[in-house]
Amino acid sequence: MWYDKRFHSLNYALREHFDCKIIKLSIDGGFTCPNRDGSIAKNGCIFCSEQGSGEFASSSSLSIENQIEEQISLLSTKWPNAKYIAYFQNFTSTYGSVEYLKKIYDSALSCNNVVGLAIATRPDCLSIEVLNLLAEFNKKTFLWIELGLQSIHKSSADFIRRGYSLDVFDNAVNNLNERNIKSVVHIISNLPTESKEDYYSTLKYLNKKPIWGVKIHMLHILKNTDLEKYYLQNPFSLMNQDDYINLIVHSLEILRPDIVIHRITGDGKKEDLIAPRWTLNKRAVLNGVDKLLKSSDSYQGKLYNP
């Protein structure tokens, strides 16, 4: 349906647009977050690591150009004809002055074979000035903005200490859509505050929104996070690999078929991951999803009812 997949993968979407292999390069723009610097709070989201959920990003001690050149030098042997998306991944990558944002985004696009930008941020860090800047970049490159929603439920937002209300997310998506800027939404499964039906209701809510993509994350418990402390004091059950594969297949069945699936599993650094350890075998999860979709003759959007 989408090449060899039964869901609308990011690989499919990018190959359809660029007609070549596209690789994301995780870049550290030297940002912090209003949930850390005291503007909203100081401890960040409960699951957030010391790297601002950017464990695999380059070092901010290097210039943007050097970060990109370093990563390309490692990847170009395997994919000599690839092109690249500069992914500003960790912390809140629109949380700075418009002048600074323009400078680092331009720096990334100045590098050879960089054909687009992916920018991870918070919905409450998209001022009109920042939105207008993003609209300018959207006219000259392939751009998407990633928004950390995680859940539509207030109890979950309070638990993870998200720091903004659902209407802020809605406004951000609408503001991006009005400027024809693609939005990608992060959600987390297995939150201890939610049932599976609560989680699925977040997917159904997103079906009604003008979004381009979704990233689904399994809740990871990492060392030196407040979630680690909570888990040790208040143990809660985590899904096993088979349960998670079943959850992802049902998630894909629910989601609109045009929504681009950017991620269906993730992995923390091996030395930092406390649980669930099975997520380290990312290939087994991906293969398991493909196998179950095929054996059950299922596909993305099978249960979607507009």
Side-chain angles (χ1 to χ4, degrees), residues 47 159 188-194 196 217-222 227-228 230-232 234-245 247 273-279:
F47 54 79
F159 172 74
I188 293 179
S189 64
N190 209 166
L191 288 167
T193 50
E194 295 188 3
K196 285 185 180 179
H217 301 261
M218 174 66 184
L219 183 66
H220 285 140
I221 300 167
L222 300 175
L227 182 59
E228 176 196 15
Y230 178 88
Y231 181 69
L232 294 176
N234 307 276
F236 56 89
S237 62
L238 293 166
M239 282 183 282
N240 62 37
Q241 181 173 295
D242 288 340
D243 287 340
Y244 184 73
I245 288 170
L247 177 118
L273 182 64
I274 295 172
R277 296 288 293 179
W278 55 260
T279 59

Side-chain angles (χ1 to χ4, degrees), residues 51 54 73 133 138 158 160 192 202 220 261 278:
Q51 292 78 34
S73 69
L133 175 69
N138 193 50
D158 291 342
I160 64 175
T202 292
H220 285 140
I261 308 302
W278 55 260

